[in-house]
């Protein structure tokens, strides 16, 4: 079977790799082409472009990379057409994947799209649906969470749901005293997996960070980054004058975390599912702030807050000049307690159900191939 894939971020790459594992068992000799990251590379994918170049965020970042984005689009479409895939598997990354979907549908390729655009956060859903709905209606769609399915269901599109969260890496405990003993002892920073996002946020966080005190001991500082950003992270950490450690393994970082500060994204839900108290901060450029003002008025950005319908993790979004020691201290002071985070974890697990993302994707892909 010839499979063309596209995932442009760390979280999407992990989901794609898990699906490839399942497909490879059913279809020996699976041929792969497309876009992915290190997790997919270990499953045999040679990405057309390195993941660190694909990870863009915000209008300014895309504008500064306009020439590359055009080359990315043209090259990826050309290779997809030359490959003539039996199936196109898209994961998140709507900036490119919506365009790949259009080109694939025009040529009659079967398409399964995992985590299609989260249009439930936008006010102008109908306009977006008019623009892309004709192509989305001809694909198999799989949202990660039930709350994301409404715009597609209202448009009459069949959509499946299945998330990939495997559950908390930390042990289950009973009672606050046992909880105190079970959790880690560090303050974990997660400034994003996109190069420009990390370079925009991490220096500001380090400059403004008031180190919290617990039982009279300052929390050690750890920073979780993908491998391709680790060296840049070390340079930023050294320039800040703070002591800390760069980690690249998510489960190791989570096991050491007492609390966390994260850039909004899938990682915020992973923190909540691990029972780790967190705050969410996003230092973004002025153009993105202006363009996203309608989205920001719709409610919180962090996934746990969206799914539960309340502010579980405190949030801050704004420009660099408005980010300060006081703003960050206010976020950390509003961070939930360990006990509250544990209750949030239980609520999310009950609401989201078991992680059936891989099996849902596999079943949908097999259904398409059987036509």
């Amino acid at each position: 079977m010839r499979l063309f894939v596209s995932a442009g971020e760390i979280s999407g790459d992990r989901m794609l790799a898990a699906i490839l594992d399942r497909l490879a068992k059913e279809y020996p000799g699976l041929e792969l082409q497309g876009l992915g990251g290190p997790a997919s590379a270990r499953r045999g994918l040679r990405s057309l472009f390195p993941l660190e170049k694909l990870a863009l965020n915000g209008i300014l970042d895309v504008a500064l990379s306009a020439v590359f984005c055009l080359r990315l689009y043209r090259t990826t479409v050309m290779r997809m057409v030359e490959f003539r895939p039996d199936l196109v598997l898209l994961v998140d990354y709507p900036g490119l994947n919506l365009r790949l979907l259009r080109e694939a549908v025009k040529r009659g390729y079967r398409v399964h799209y995992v985590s299609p655009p989260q249009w439930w956060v936008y006010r102008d859903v109908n306009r977006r649906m008019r623009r892309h709905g004709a192509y989305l209606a001809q694909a198999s769609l799989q949202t990660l969470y039930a709350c994301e399915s409404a715009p597609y269901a209202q448009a009459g599109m069949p959509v499946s749901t299945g998330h990939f969260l495997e559950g908390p890496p930390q042990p289950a405990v009973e009672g606050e005293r046992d909880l105190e003993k079970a959790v880690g002892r560090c303050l974990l920073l997660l400034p994003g997996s996109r190069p420009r996002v990390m370079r925009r946020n991490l220096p500001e966080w380090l400059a403004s960070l008031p180190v919290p005190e617990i039982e009279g001991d300052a929390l050690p500082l750890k920073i979780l980054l993908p491998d391709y950003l680790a060296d840049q992270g070390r340079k930023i950490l050294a320039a800040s004058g703070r002591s800390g450690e760069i980690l690249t393994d998510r489960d190791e970082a989570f096991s050491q975390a007492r609390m966390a500060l994260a850039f909004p994204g899938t990682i915020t839900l992973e923190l909540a599912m691990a029972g780790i108290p967190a705050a969410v901060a996003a230092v973004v450029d002025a153009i993105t702030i202006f363009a996203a003002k309608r989205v920001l008025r719709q409610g919180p950005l962090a996934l746990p807050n969206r799914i539960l319908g309340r502010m579980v993790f405190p949030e801050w979004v704004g420009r660099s000049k408005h980010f300060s020691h006081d703003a960050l201290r206010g976020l950390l002071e509003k961070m939930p307690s360990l006990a509250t985070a544990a209750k949030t974890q239980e609520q999310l697990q009950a609401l989201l159900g078991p992680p059936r993302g891989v099996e849902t994707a596999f079943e949908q892909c097999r259904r398409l191939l059987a036509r």
Side-chain angles (χ1 to χ4, degrees), residues 145 163-170 250 254 266-278 303-304 307-308 312-313 341-342 344-355:
Y145 318 110
H163 70 85
F164 293 74
L165 296 170
E166 294 294 339
Q170 296 186 356
R250 181 190 54 171
F254 277 26
T266 307
I267 197 69
T268 60
L269 186 56
E270 295 174 0
L271 288 166
M273 290 291 284
I276 299 173
L303 277 172
I307 292 172
L308 292 175
V312 177
F313 291 164
T344 298
Q345 174 191 35
E346 294 175 0
Q347 292 167 351
L348 284 170
Q349 286 178 325
L351 186 62
L352 297 180

Side-chain angles (χ1 to χ4, degrees), residues 45 68 122 130 132 168 171 303 314:
L45 175 67
F68 168 75
Y122 292 96
R130 285 195 299 270
H132 301 289
L303 277 172

Side-chain angles (χ1 to χ4, degrees), residues 249-301:
D249 183 88
R250 181 190 54 171
D251 288 350
E252 177 189 2
F254 277 26
S255 68
Q256 298 182 34
R258 176 74 168 214
M259 58 182 65
L261 177 66
F263 188 83
T266 307
I267 197 69
T268 60
L269 186 56
E270 295 174 0
L271 288 166
M273 290 291 284
I276 299 173
V280 178
V283 179
V284 295
D285 60 89
I287 297 176
T288 299
I289 282 285
F290 177 78
K293 59 184 178 182
R294 287 186 177 181
V295 177
L296 296 175
R297 284 200 296 264
Q298 294 294 309
L301 292 179

Side-chain angles (χ1 to χ4, degrees), residues 68-202:
F68 168 75
C69 289
L70 181 60
R71 183 164 68 93
L72 168 67
Y73 168 68
R74 289 179 173 175
T75 301
T76 307
V77 171
M78 180 185 68
R79 293 295 293 272
M80 180 176 68
V81 173
E82 291 174 348
F83 190 48
R84 295 183 60 84
D86 298 301
L87 179 68
V88 176
L89 177 58
L90 308 175
V91 183
D92 200 0
Y93 203 48
L96 176 64
N97 281 348
L98 281 174
R99 291 164 175 79
L100 292 181
L101 169 67
R102 179 184 60 199
E103 299 297 336
V105 167
K106 285 180 179 178
R107 291 164 174 80
Y109 302 149
R110 303 173 181 90
V111 181
H112 182 58
Y113 197 160
V114 178
S115 189
Q118 297 173 336
W119 283 341
W120 52 295
V121 304
Y122 292 96
R123 177 181 298 178
D124 54 350
V125 174
N126 292 332
R127 179 176 65 85
R128 294 169 184 270
M129 196 64 77
R130 285 195 299 270
R131 181 179 178 186
H132 301 289
Y135 301 107
L136 287 163
Q138 298 182 61
S140 168
L141 305 177
Q142 175 184 337
T143 60
L144 301 184
Y145 318 110
C147 59
E148 297 175 323
S149 302
Y152 300 104
Q154 291 170 4
M157 300 178 189
V159 57
S160 56
T161 300
H163 70 85
F164 293 74
L165 296 170
E166 294 294 339
Q170 296 186 356
V173 293
E174 296 183 4
E176 290 192 30
R177 182 170 297 181
D178 291 337
L179 187 62
E180 293 277 343
K181 296 177 181 178
V183 298
R185 298 293 303 173
C186 80
L187 171 61
L188 181 64
L189 303 185
L190 305 103
S193 60
R194 304 172 182 91
R196 287 196 179 97
V197 169
M198 187 277 290
R199 291 196 294 266
R200 187 180 294 122
N201 280 266
L202 184 56

